[in-house]
Amino acid sequence: MDQAVKKGATRRDFLYLTAGAMGVVGAGSAAWPLIDSMNPAADTLAAGSTEVDLSKVEVGSALTAVWRGSPLFIRHRTPEEIKSVRDMDWKSLRDPQKDEDRTLKAEWIIIKGVCTHLGCIPLGQKAGDPRGEFNGWFCPCHGSQYDVSGRIRKGPAPLNMFVPPYKFISDTVVHVGSGHDFPNPGF
Amino acid sequence: MSGSQEKEKFNNKTIQWINDRMPIFSMLNNEYGKFPMPKNCNYFWNFGAIAMVMLVIMIVTGVFMAMNYVPSTAGAFASIQHTTREVNYGWLLRYMHMNGASFFFIAVYIHLFRGLYYGSYKKPRELVWIFGVVLLLLMMATAFLGYTLPWSQMSGWGATVITSLFSAIPLIGGGIVTWLWGGFSVGQPTLNRFYAFHFLLPFIICAAVFVHVWALHVSKSNNPAGVEPKSEKDTVPFHPYYTAKDSFGTAVFMIVYFAVVFFAPLILANPDHWKPFNSLQTPPEIVPEWYFLPFYAMLRSFTVGIKVAGVTLLTAKQQGVLAMFGSILILFFVPWLDKSPVKSARYRPVFKWALRLLVLNMVMLTYAGALPAAGKALVMGRIGAAYYYFFFLVLLPYLGKREKTLPLPESISADYAAHHGGGAMKKALIPAALALGLALAPHAARAADTPPLPNLHWPEQGIFGHYDMAAVQRGFQVYKEVCSNCHSMKYIYYRNLESIGYTKEQVKTLAATYQITDGPDENGQMFQRPGRPTDHFKSPFPNPETARAALNGALPPDMSNLVNAREGGPNYIYAILTGYVPAPKDFHVMDGHMYNEYFPGHQIAMPQPLVAGQVQFQDGTPNTLDNEARSVAQFLDWASNPHMEQRKRLGIKVILFMIAFAGILLATKRKVWSDVT
Ligand code: FES
């Protein structure tokens, strides 16, 4: 084959390939703004913190606040409840975590009240609600059961309920959305 | 659909002119005119056409629903209420659309079963099958998206649960869920995008249907014998033979569909669909639509993670999600899982029963999926999932190699001669009945810790039932004097009362007794004015928070939809009103609660609202508790279903018309087919 023709052919292949590759990169980059536009908008992201007054929550009772559109479960735990979640073999749990790693003050458990299975709101905040075998929360959707530390004990959910970042700005007021970051492995 | 090259001749000049430039009429003639169809296809072959008709119905009713729909978290539920209550024939649009989805699935599931039973997925029709499975997936997505739009309790929580399935993906799952939601929970951005996609997908479905049919028209239709046509004698042209047969089958299907739309439009819907979405409270039971239940049952039946040496490989959640998605995706591989040279199950004695068992298995899964996730439901779910996968992964390949098949008929003509007129129609009715049973199975599965509701006779019951307006008016009096102190009815206008027999003047006077907040006026001030017939019923509390503060934390539900939002309808209302009895000795009733026999959990925050003698009925009816409870139940039934009488009247006409139409189509079909031997 003629050298010049062959050289022309190689060059053509190169140009084809380059043009094709650039087309793909261009189309791909054009797709990103579309995809990213579906992520939470700036104002949604900004509306991320809330303050809750705990002064009226008596020992043994619960309060449900709202944080980022989801319920925030707050429970004022009794000494027995604290004992039940601390004096135990936490290493054998499905999502092994110490209660100490999930609370700032032993008597307050503060978690995002969303079942880690498929996102339902577990029951157990209101008097008369079923709380499951571990006296914590019971998810009505597919029967997940959580203890008073919000750790998954039974049922299909894989993880403990999420502990949001928070800090106490006074003895009885808690700021949720920033502050102490809890480990929450798996999230 | 390949356009033919040779010029066709048409008598009509305009048609000829167009066809010479764009051979659309040639194409139609080739694909729907003389297109050769095996002549032995039975009534199972109707369901493709029926599905197509349902698709058109869904698109048309959907577009008109969209004209009244407001995709906002604050307005969606109200706009659907407005459509059903105030828009002319809005109730018809909604009930056709809502039940249309179910009937679309019935048609498609039978169509799919047909494909499996007669081996329509085998060479050379693999692509037809694959596009069919793509269509099924698209349909499921569309149905799910549509389910979320009314923004009811079921909508919002269904959306939460299904989108959360993606959180099972390791590492990026959480990010994907946030991306799908456009926020940190299901909310406004979610609703907006779901609406956009619900509108878009049907058109993609149309395109996929086109490809599905295109592939079919290249490989041509299969038939119950599963042998390919050998000569011209084996086939008949599509028109008029199958146009006639399809039309008749479709008409029969439509009769059943319309019967549900006009006489039992809520039979397939969950009562929680009549409660607005509350993002802070999950209903006690989440149940998807019946057509997803078998897959949902599989999803729920895994509860133990797989661990190897202390490391979790697959969590229970991941297993469930895999089992669920896998059950659909596995269908893509059916043409390669089943290598049997014989197509039709008719000549595969073992496969036939294995497949019938699969159908029963799906019925069991549907039933299990509707039960609360515990005990029996989990066991059935596991057995069902096991057989499902056993069928596709073990039985199909094994039988394909080992099964001793029966001798095939010589040709389609021979088969036609043998089976002609042999109850094929009756056979098509069996799966149709099964599918309907499947759709209704969830009703059988409702669990209860309360005694069965009283089963009273209501005048509005039945095909010819209508409201007893005197009772409805008495019921309104009870609502006005008792219930309305706590319960709102915010979707009802005062002028709606004209339809229960009050005169314009009466309504005007009544409305004027209420003070309505209006404004702002030109000074920017809100002001009070007397109510007008065009106002909604005034709510006892300006907002839910005031209600809670006044009533000890309890929130009385809005009563506009109460009858539809409660399992048992008017019977439930009656039962609650008459169900206040002393608590059993060992039962602890919480502070601020009463014991009620029929209330789920028995603890009700509402003090006994009605006692005998409470209301002095204007028409002199004795004011026993029974009478008071009955009349208010009837009033609330009217409020929930104000168009019930119009609906049934129109329904009778439509059904009679369709029966006559089907009769004519059957006669036509018989005449057309009389020359086929
Ligand atoms: S969502 Fe809680 S158990 Fe499924």
Side-chain angles (χ1 to χ4, degrees), chain A residues 35 38-40 44-45 66 68-71 116-121 127-128 140-142 158, chain B residues 157 160-161 164-165 178-179 182-185 193 280 282 284 286 296 299-300 317 373 590:
Chain A
I35 294 172
M38 288 174 69
N39 268 319
T44 314
L45 280 175
V66 181
R68 290 184 164 182
S70 297
T116 59
H117 182 228
L118 297 174
C120 292
I121 313 290
C141 287
H142 317 98
Chain B
W157 290 104
T160 306
V161 167
S164 295
L165 291 176
T178 310
W179 175 71
F184 301 108
S185 57
R193 63 189 58 183
L280 299 181
T282 312
I286 298 220
Y296 191 65
L299 166 79
R300 301 191 307 182
K317 171 167 153 182
M590 289 180 303

mmCIF file of all heavy atoms in Angstrom, chain A residues 35 38-40 44-45 66 68-71 116-121 127-128 140-142 158, chain B residues 157 160-161 164-165 178-179 182-185 193 280 282 284 286 296 299-300 317 373 590:
data_model
loop_
_atom_site.group_PDB
_atom_site.id
_atom_site.type_symbol
_atom_site.label_atom_id
_atom_site.label_comp_id
_atom_site.label_asym_id
_atom_site.label_seq_id
_atom_site.Cartn_x
_atom_site.Cartn_y
_atom_site.Cartn_z
ATOM 1 N N ILE A 35 -27.885 16.319 36.335
ATOM 2 C CA ILE A 35 -27.950 15.377 37.454
ATOM 3 C C ILE A 35 -27.833 16.118 38.776
ATOM 4 O O ILE A 35 -28.607 15.898 39.706
ATOM 5 C CB ILE A 35 -26.829 14.337 37.312
ATOM 6 C CG1 ILE A 35 -27.087 13.484 36.070
ATOM 7 C CG2 ILE A 35 -26.730 13.468 38.553
ATOM 8 C CD1 ILE A 35 -25.964 12.550 35.714
ATOM 9 N N MET A 38 -30.629 17.890 40.640
ATOM 10 C CA MET A 38 -31.590 17.114 41.424
ATOM 11 C C MET A 38 -31.138 16.926 42.873
ATOM 12 O O MET A 38 -31.885 16.442 43.700
ATOM 13 C CB MET A 38 -31.835 15.747 40.770
ATOM 14 C CG MET A 38 -32.660 15.852 39.501
ATOM 15 S SD MET A 38 -32.802 14.295 38.633
ATOM 16 C CE MET A 38 -33.837 13.356 39.747
ATOM 17 N N ASN A 39 -29.916 17.296 43.185
ATOM 18 C CA ASN A 39 -29.458 17.238 44.569
ATOM 19 C C ASN A 39 -30.113 18.357 45.381
ATOM 20 O O ASN A 39 -30.648 19.306 44.805
ATOM 21 C CB ASN A 39 -27.929 17.361 44.610
ATOM 22 C CG ASN A 39 -27.271 15.990 44.567
ATOM 23 O OD1 ASN A 39 -27.740 15.051 45.205
ATOM 24 N ND2 ASN A 39 -26.206 15.877 43.796
ATOM 25 N N PRO A 40 -30.064 18.269 46.713
ATOM 26 C CA PRO A 40 -30.713 19.302 47.532
ATOM 27 C C PRO A 40 -30.228 20.702 47.167
ATOM 28 O O PRO A 40 -29.027 20.933 46.991
ATOM 29 C CB PRO A 40 -30.283 18.944 48.959
ATOM 30 C CG PRO A 40 -30.016 17.483 48.921
ATOM 31 C CD PRO A 40 -29.502 17.194 47.541
ATOM 32 N N THR A 44 -32.304 24.427 50.838
ATOM 33 C CA THR A 44 -32.622 23.193 51.557
ATOM 34 C C THR A 44 -31.451 22.801 52.447
ATOM 35 O O THR A 44 -31.628 22.386 53.593
ATOM 36 C CB THR A 44 -32.895 22.056 50.552
ATOM 37 O OG1 THR A 44 -33.767 22.550 49.545
ATOM 38 C CG2 THR A 44 -33.519 20.854 51.228
ATOM 39 N N LEU A 45 -30.257 22.918 51.897
ATOM 40 C CA LEU A 45 -29.071 22.565 52.666
ATOM 41 C C LEU A 45 -28.896 23.483 53.870
ATOM 42 O O LEU A 45 -28.512 23.055 54.950
ATOM 43 C CB LEU A 45 -27.824 22.671 51.792
ATOM 44 C CG LEU A 45 -27.552 21.511 50.849
ATOM 45 C CD1 LEU A 45 -26.352 21.822 49.981
ATOM 46 C CD2 LEU A 45 -27.327 20.234 51.633
ATOM 47 N N VAL A 66 -38.684 18.488 65.067
ATOM 48 C CA VAL A 66 -38.481 18.276 63.636
ATOM 49 C C VAL A 66 -37.110 18.798 63.253
ATOM 50 O O VAL A 66 -36.710 19.900 63.620
ATOM 51 C CB VAL A 66 -39.555 19.008 62.812
ATOM 52 C CG1 VAL A 66 -39.337 18.751 61.327
ATOM 53 C CG2 VAL A 66 -40.936 18.564 63.225
ATOM 54 N N ARG A 68 -34.649 18.871 59.749
ATOM 55 C CA ARG A 68 -34.517 18.594 58.321
ATOM 56 C C ARG A 68 -35.682 17.766 57.778
ATOM 57 O O ARG A 68 -35.501 16.789 57.054
ATOM 58 C CB ARG A 68 -33.224 17.824 58.055
ATOM 59 C CG ARG A 68 -31.993 18.674 58.270
ATOM 60 C CD ARG A 68 -30.778 17.881 57.903
ATOM 61 N NE ARG A 68 -29.630 18.731 57.739
ATOM 62 C CZ ARG A 68 -28.440 18.283 57.378
ATOM 63 N NH1 ARG A 68 -28.258 17.003 57.133
ATOM 64 N NH2 ARG A 68 -27.432 19.099 57.250
ATOM 65 N N GLY A 69 -36.875 18.150 58.162
ATOM 66 C CA GLY A 69 -38.068 17.496 57.635
ATOM 67 C C GLY A 69 -38.351 16.128 58.205
ATOM 68 O O GLY A 69 -39.318 15.481 57.824
ATOM 69 N N SER A 70 -37.502 15.677 59.122
ATOM 70 C CA SER A 70 -37.735 14.373 59.737
ATOM 71 C C SER A 70 -37.926 14.567 61.229
ATOM 72 O O SER A 70 -37.456 15.540 61.804
ATOM 73 C CB SER A 70 -36.538 13.448 59.528
ATOM 74 O OG SER A 70 -36.350 13.213 58.173
ATOM 75 N N PRO A 71 -38.623 13.598 61.873
ATOM 76 C CA PRO A 71 -38.792 13.733 63.305
ATOM 77 C C PRO A 71 -37.477 13.496 64.040
ATOM 78 O O PRO A 71 -36.642 12.700 63.615
ATOM 79 C CB PRO A 71 -39.803 12.649 63.659
ATOM 80 C CG PRO A 71 -39.829 11.733 62.520
ATOM 81 C CD PRO A 71 -39.343 12.461 61.318
ATOM 82 N N THR A 116 -33.804 2.743 59.850
ATOM 83 C CA THR A 116 -32.728 2.586 58.866
ATOM 84 C C THR A 116 -33.034 1.494 57.867
ATOM 85 O O THR A 116 -32.229 1.220 56.996
ATOM 86 C CB THR A 116 -31.394 2.272 59.554
ATOM 87 O OG1 THR A 116 -31.551 1.061 60.299
ATOM 88 C CG2 THR A 116 -30.982 3.394 60.477
ATOM 89 N N HIS A 117 -34.189 0.866 58.002
ATOM 90 C CA HIS A 117 -34.563 -0.109 56.981
ATOM 91 C C HIS A 117 -35.018 0.655 55.751
ATOM 92 O O HIS A 117 -34.222 0.929 54.864
ATOM 93 C CB HIS A 117 -35.654 -1.052 57.515
ATOM 94 C CG HIS A 117 -36.052 -2.102 56.539
ATOM 95 N ND1 HIS A 117 -37.361 -2.389 56.256
ATOM 96 C CD2 HIS A 117 -35.312 -2.927 55.785
ATOM 97 C CE1 HIS A 117 -37.399 -3.356 55.346
ATOM 98 N NE2 HIS A 117 -36.169 -3.702 55.051
ATOM 99 N N LEU A 118 -36.266 1.099 55.725
ATOM 100 C CA LEU A 118 -36.733 1.811 54.546
ATOM 101 C C LEU A 118 -37.375 3.148 54.885
ATOM 102 O O LEU A 118 -38.244 3.626 54.160
ATOM 103 C CB LEU A 118 -37.690 0.922 53.747
ATOM 104 C CG LEU A 118 -37.034 -0.346 53.200
ATOM 105 C CD1 LEU A 118 -38.068 -1.249 52.551
ATOM 106 C CD2 LEU A 118 -35.949 -0.019 52.182
ATOM 107 N N GLY A 119 -36.939 3.728 55.998
ATOM 108 C CA GLY A 119 -37.303 5.119 56.211
ATOM 109 C C GLY A 119 -38.628 5.430 56.876
ATOM 110 O O GLY A 119 -39.047 6.576 56.871
ATOM 111 N N CYS A 120 -39.313 4.458 57.454
ATOM 112 C CA CYS A 120 -40.540 4.786 58.173
ATOM 113 C C CYS A 120 -40.197 5.430 59.509
ATOM 114 O O CYS A 120 -39.056 5.404 59.949
ATOM 115 C CB CYS A 120 -41.373 3.535 58.420
ATOM 116 S SG CYS A 120 -42.048 2.857 56.908
ATOM 117 N N ILE A 121 -41.209 6.002 60.161
ATOM 118 C CA ILE A 121 -41.020 6.593 61.474
ATOM 119 C C ILE A 121 -41.419 5.557 62.525
ATOM 120 O O ILE A 121 -42.587 5.187 62.602
ATOM 121 C CB ILE A 121 -41.923 7.828 61.669
ATOM 122 C CG1 ILE A 121 -41.857 8.749 60.465
ATOM 123 C CG2 ILE A 121 -41.581 8.536 62.969
ATOM 124 C CD1 ILE A 121 -40.576 9.460 60.283
ATOM 125 N N ALA A 127 -47.082 8.010 74.668
ATOM 126 C CA ALA A 127 -47.550 7.055 75.661
ATOM 127 C C ALA A 127 -48.551 6.143 74.974
ATOM 128 O O ALA A 127 -49.378 6.601 74.206
ATOM 129 C CB ALA A 127 -48.218 7.798 76.802
ATOM 130 N N GLY A 128 -48.427 4.839 75.224
ATOM 131 C CA GLY A 128 -49.363 3.916 74.604
ATOM 132 C C GLY A 128 -48.862 3.326 73.302
ATOM 133 O O GLY A 128 -49.418 2.352 72.808
ATOM 134 N N PRO A 140 -43.400 0.220 62.589
ATOM 135 C CA PRO A 140 -44.602 -0.496 62.183
ATOM 136 C C PRO A 140 -44.501 -1.076 60.775
ATOM 137 O O PRO A 140 -45.273 -1.948 60.423
ATOM 138 C CB PRO A 140 -45.683 0.584 62.225
ATOM 139 C CG PRO A 140 -44.960 1.857 61.987
ATOM 140 C CD PRO A 140 -43.605 1.679 62.605
ATOM 141 N N CYS A 141 -43.546 -0.582 59.983
ATOM 142 C CA CYS A 141 -43.565 -0.988 58.578
ATOM 143 C C CYS A 141 -43.156 -2.438 58.395
ATOM 144 O O CYS A 141 -43.859 -3.215 57.776
ATOM 145 C CB CYS A 141 -42.688 -0.065 57.746
ATOM 146 S SG CYS A 141 -43.482 1.531 57.556
ATOM 147 N N HIS A 142 -42.005 -2.806 58.912
ATOM 148 C CA HIS A 142 -41.575 -4.197 58.739
ATOM 149 C C HIS A 142 -41.045 -4.781 60.031
ATOM 150 O O HIS A 142 -40.285 -5.735 60.038
ATOM 151 C CB HIS A 142 -40.526 -4.308 57.632
ATOM 152 C CG HIS A 142 -40.871 -3.483 56.426
ATOM 153 N ND1 HIS A 142 -40.347 -2.231 56.207
ATOM 154 C CD2 HIS A 142 -41.726 -3.714 55.421
ATOM 155 C CE1 HIS A 142 -40.870 -1.728 55.115
ATOM 156 N NE2 HIS A 142 -41.708 -2.600 54.613
ATOM 157 N N PRO A 158 -30.675 -2.531 59.071
ATOM 158 C CA PRO A 158 -29.263 -2.885 59.205
ATOM 159 C C PRO A 158 -28.505 -2.044 60.236
ATOM 160 O O PRO A 158 -27.522 -2.509 60.790
ATOM 161 C CB PRO A 158 -28.696 -2.648 57.818
ATOM 162 C CG PRO A 158 -29.569 -1.599 57.228
ATOM 163 C CD PRO A 158 -30.921 -1.740 57.849
ATOM 164 N N TRP B 157 -45.555 7.842 52.153
ATOM 165 C CA TRP B 157 -44.783 6.771 52.788
ATOM 166 C C TRP B 157 -44.374 5.700 51.792
ATOM 167 O O TRP B 157 -43.316 5.087 51.930
ATOM 168 C CB TRP B 157 -45.536 6.216 53.999
ATOM 169 C CG TRP B 157 -45.522 7.255 55.064
ATOM 170 C CD1 TRP B 157 -46.538 8.069 55.435
ATOM 171 C CD2 TRP B 157 -44.364 7.679 55.812
ATOM 172 N NE1 TRP B 157 -46.102 8.960 56.384
ATOM 173 C CE2 TRP B 157 -44.777 8.741 56.632
ATOM 174 C CE3 TRP B 157 -43.039 7.252 55.863
ATOM 175 C CZ2 TRP B 157 -43.900 9.396 57.507
ATOM 176 C CZ3 TRP B 157 -42.183 7.890 56.723
ATOM 177 C CH2 TRP B 157 -42.613 8.952 57.534
ATOM 178 N N THR B 160 -41.320 7.114 50.346
ATOM 179 C CA THR B 160 -40.186 6.995 51.261
ATOM 180 C C THR B 160 -39.610 5.584 51.234
ATOM 181 O O THR B 160 -38.395 5.383 51.086
ATOM 182 C CB THR B 160 -40.634 7.320 52.704
ATOM 183 O OG1 THR B 160 -41.255 8.599 52.708
ATOM 184 C CG2 THR B 160 -39.465 7.315 53.655
ATOM 185 N N VAL B 161 -40.489 4.608 51.351
ATOM 186 C CA VAL B 161 -40.022 3.231 51.435
ATOM 187 C C VAL B 161 -39.338 2.798 50.135
ATOM 188 O O VAL B 161 -38.258 2.220 50.146
ATOM 189 C CB VAL B 161 -41.197 2.289 51.785
ATOM 190 C CG1 VAL B 161 -40.818 0.839 51.557
ATOM 191 C CG2 VAL B 161 -41.620 2.503 53.226
ATOM 192 N N SER B 164 -36.064 4.539 49.529
ATOM 193 C CA SER B 164 -35.063 4.086 50.495
ATOM 194 C C SER B 164 -34.466 2.739 50.116
ATOM 195 O O SER B 164 -33.434 2.353 50.661
ATOM 196 C CB SER B 164 -35.676 3.981 51.887
ATOM 197 O OG SER B 164 -36.056 5.256 52.338
ATOM 198 N N LEU B 165 -35.100 2.028 49.195
ATOM 199 C CA LEU B 165 -34.519 0.756 48.752
ATOM 200 C C LEU B 165 -33.094 0.979 48.253
ATOM 201 O O LEU B 165 -32.224 0.141 48.403
ATOM 202 C CB LEU B 165 -35.341 0.161 47.606
ATOM 203 C CG LEU B 165 -36.738 -0.336 47.954
ATOM 204 C CD1 LEU B 165 -37.448 -0.795 46.698
ATOM 205 C CD2 LEU B 165 -36.661 -1.467 48.950
ATOM 206 N N THR B 178 -30.683 10.777 48.877
ATOM 207 C CA THR B 178 -30.806 12.238 49.007
ATOM 208 C C THR B 178 -30.986 12.872 47.635
ATOM 209 O O THR B 178 -31.787 13.795 47.455
ATOM 210 C CB THR B 178 -29.531 12.810 49.656
ATOM 211 O OG1 THR B 178 -29.258 12.052 50.828
ATOM 212 C CG2 THR B 178 -29.704 14.260 50.024
ATOM 213 N N TRP B 179 -30.277 12.347 46.667
ATOM 214 C CA TRP B 179 -30.366 12.881 45.298
ATOM 215 C C TRP B 179 -31.770 12.645 44.742
ATOM 216 O O TRP B 179 -32.370 13.537 44.128
ATOM 217 C CB TRP B 179 -29.298 12.193 44.444
ATOM 218 C CG TRP B 179 -29.352 12.546 42.996
ATOM 219 C CD1 TRP B 179 -29.019 13.733 42.433
ATOM 220 C CD2 TRP B 179 -29.758 11.685 41.926
ATOM 221 N NE1 TRP B 179 -29.192 13.680 41.077
ATOM 222 C CE2 TRP B 179 -29.643 12.432 40.738
ATOM 223 C CE3 TRP B 179 -30.193 10.362 41.844
ATOM 224 C CZ2 TRP B 179 -29.951 11.903 39.490
ATOM 225 C CZ3 TRP B 179 -30.512 9.828 40.610
ATOM 226 C CH2 TRP B 179 -30.390 10.589 39.448
ATOM 227 N N GLY B 182 -34.001 15.081 46.563
ATOM 228 C CA GLY B 182 -33.690 16.499 46.440
ATOM 229 C C GLY B 182 -33.767 17.198 47.778
ATOM 230 O O GLY B 182 -34.020 18.402 47.847
ATOM 231 N N GLY B 183 -33.571 16.460 48.854
ATOM 232 C CA GLY B 183 -33.644 17.024 50.201
ATOM 233 C C GLY B 183 -33.326 15.937 51.196
ATOM 234 O O GLY B 183 -32.794 14.893 50.820
ATOM 235 N N PHE B 184 -33.696 16.165 52.450
ATOM 236 C CA PHE B 184 -33.356 15.185 53.468
ATOM 237 C C PHE B 184 -34.525 14.287 53.829
ATOM 238 O O PHE B 184 -34.426 13.432 54.684
ATOM 239 C CB PHE B 184 -32.808 15.888 54.707
ATOM 240 C CG PHE B 184 -31.595 16.684 54.373
ATOM 241 C CD1 PHE B 184 -31.634 18.057 54.347
ATOM 242 C CD2 PHE B 184 -30.422 16.028 54.019
ATOM 243 C CE1 PHE B 184 -30.509 18.784 53.989
ATOM 244 C CE2 PHE B 184 -29.303 16.749 53.658
ATOM 245 C CZ PHE B 184 -29.342 18.138 53.651
ATOM 246 N N SER B 185 -35.640 14.531 53.220
ATOM 247 C CA SER B 185 -36.767 13.619 53.364
ATOM 248 C C SER B 185 -37.648 13.841 52.135
ATOM 249 O O SER B 185 -37.401 14.755 51.354
ATOM 250 C CB SER B 185 -37.542 13.924 54.651
ATOM 251 O OG SER B 185 -37.959 15.266 54.646
ATOM 252 N N ARG B 193 -40.443 16.485 41.001
ATOM 253 C CA ARG B 193 -39.747 15.660 40.006
ATOM 254 C C ARG B 193 -40.528 14.389 39.711
ATOM 255 O O ARG B 193 -40.531 13.922 38.577
ATOM 256 C CB ARG B 193 -38.319 15.367 40.455
ATOM 257 C CG ARG B 193 -38.236 14.563 41.712
ATOM 258 C CD ARG B 193 -36.837 14.490 42.221
ATOM 259 N NE ARG B 193 -36.276 15.809 42.482
ATOM 260 C CZ ARG B 193 -35.032 16.013 42.876
ATOM 261 N NH1 ARG B 193 -34.234 14.978 43.066
ATOM 262 N NH2 ARG B 193 -34.577 17.212 43.097
ATOM 263 N N LEU B 280 -44.391 13.186 59.524
ATOM 264 C CA LEU B 280 -43.866 12.841 60.840
ATOM 265 C C LEU B 280 -44.555 11.618 61.418
ATOM 266 O O LEU B 280 -44.270 11.219 62.534
ATOM 267 C CB LEU B 280 -44.022 14.026 61.801
ATOM 268 C CG LEU B 280 -43.276 15.277 61.354
ATOM 269 C CD1 LEU B 280 -43.462 16.387 62.349
ATOM 270 C CD2 LEU B 280 -41.803 14.989 61.148
ATOM 271 N N THR B 282 -45.828 7.685 60.323
ATOM 272 C CA THR B 282 -46.054 6.581 59.397
ATOM 273 C C THR B 282 -47.363 5.892 59.769
ATOM 274 O O THR B 282 -47.604 5.671 60.940
ATOM 275 C CB THR B 282 -44.915 5.566 59.526
ATOM 276 O OG1 THR B 282 -43.688 6.266 59.485
ATOM 277 C CG2 THR B 282 -44.950 4.573 58.402
ATOM 278 N N PRO B 284 -49.932 2.878 60.487
ATOM 279 C CA PRO B 284 -49.591 1.613 61.143
ATOM 280 C C PRO B 284 -49.233 0.497 60.172
ATOM 281 O O PRO B 284 -48.524 -0.433 60.536
ATOM 282 C CB PRO B 284 -50.848 1.262 61.940
ATOM 283 C CG PRO B 284 -51.873 2.254 61.590
ATOM 284 C CD PRO B 284 -51.229 3.389 60.894
ATOM 285 N N ILE B 286 -47.993 -0.140 56.021
ATOM 286 C CA ILE B 286 -47.770 0.399 54.688
ATOM 287 C C ILE B 286 -47.968 -0.721 53.704
ATOM 288 O O ILE B 286 -47.295 -1.742 53.789
ATOM 289 C CB ILE B 286 -46.348 0.910 54.536
ATOM 290 C CG1 ILE B 286 -46.148 2.009 55.518
ATOM 291 C CG2 ILE B 286 -46.089 1.382 53.160
ATOM 292 C CD1 ILE B 286 -45.369 3.116 54.952
ATOM 293 N N TYR B 296 -43.096 -7.127 46.984
ATOM 294 C CA TYR B 296 -42.957 -6.543 48.307
ATOM 295 C C TYR B 296 -42.813 -7.650 49.351
ATOM 296 O O TYR B 296 -42.009 -7.541 50.285
ATOM 297 C CB TYR B 296 -44.192 -5.698 48.588
ATOM 298 C CG TYR B 296 -44.111 -4.808 49.799
ATOM 299 C CD1 TYR B 296 -43.197 -3.768 49.845
ATOM 300 C CD2 TYR B 296 -44.959 -4.994 50.876
ATOM 301 C CE1 TYR B 296 -43.142 -2.936 50.944
ATOM 302 C CE2 TYR B 296 -44.909 -4.160 51.977
ATOM 303 C CZ TYR B 296 -43.998 -3.134 52.014
ATOM 304 O OH TYR B 296 -43.948 -2.310 53.098
ATOM 305 N N LEU B 299 -39.362 -8.829 49.346
ATOM 306 C CA LEU B 299 -38.493 -7.837 49.969
ATOM 307 C C LEU B 299 -38.462 -7.997 51.484
ATOM 308 O O LEU B 299 -37.420 -7.896 52.119
ATOM 309 C CB LEU B 299 -39.011 -6.435 49.608
ATOM 310 C CG LEU B 299 -38.437 -5.265 50.415
ATOM 311 C CD1 LEU B 299 -37.067 -4.919 49.890
ATOM 312 C CD2 LEU B 299 -39.337 -4.051 50.358
ATOM 313 N N ARG B 300 -39.620 -8.272 52.045
ATOM 314 C CA ARG B 300 -39.713 -8.278 53.506
ATOM 315 C C ARG B 300 -39.291 -9.594 54.134
ATOM 316 O O ARG B 300 -39.165 -9.670 55.351
ATOM 317 C CB ARG B 300 -41.162 -8.022 53.931
ATOM 318 C CG ARG B 300 -41.718 -6.738 53.439
ATOM 319 C CD ARG B 300 -43.027 -6.454 54.116
ATOM 320 N NE ARG B 300 -43.956 -7.586 54.003
ATOM 321 C CZ ARG B 300 -45.188 -7.563 54.480
ATOM 322 N NH1 ARG B 300 -45.631 -6.494 55.078
ATOM 323 N NH2 ARG B 300 -45.980 -8.606 54.353
ATOM 324 N N LYS B 317 -31.412 -6.346 54.764
ATOM 325 C CA LYS B 317 -32.004 -5.360 53.863
ATOM 326 C C LYS B 317 -31.500 -5.546 52.432
ATOM 327 O O LYS B 317 -32.267 -5.545 51.479
ATOM 328 C CB LYS B 317 -31.652 -3.991 54.403
ATOM 329 C CG LYS B 317 -31.974 -2.823 53.511
ATOM 330 C CD LYS B 317 -31.850 -1.549 54.319
ATOM 331 C CE LYS B 317 -31.523 -0.353 53.489
ATOM 332 N NZ LYS B 317 -31.363 0.844 54.311
ATOM 333 N N ALA B 373 -45.994 -7.525 58.596
ATOM 334 C CA ALA B 373 -44.764 -8.309 58.445
ATOM 335 C C ALA B 373 -44.396 -9.051 59.719
ATOM 336 O O ALA B 373 -43.590 -8.589 60.496
ATOM 337 C CB ALA B 373 -43.628 -7.397 58.045
ATOM 338 N N MET B 590 -55.393 5.163 79.347
ATOM 339 C CA MET B 590 -54.535 6.305 79.657
ATOM 340 C C MET B 590 -55.361 7.540 80.002
ATOM 341 O O MET B 590 -56.514 7.651 79.594
ATOM 342 C CB MET B 590 -53.665 6.651 78.452
ATOM 343 C CG MET B 590 -52.579 5.654 78.167
ATOM 344 S SD MET B 590 -51.640 6.188 76.737
ATOM 345 C CE MET B 590 -52.888 6.324 75.498
#
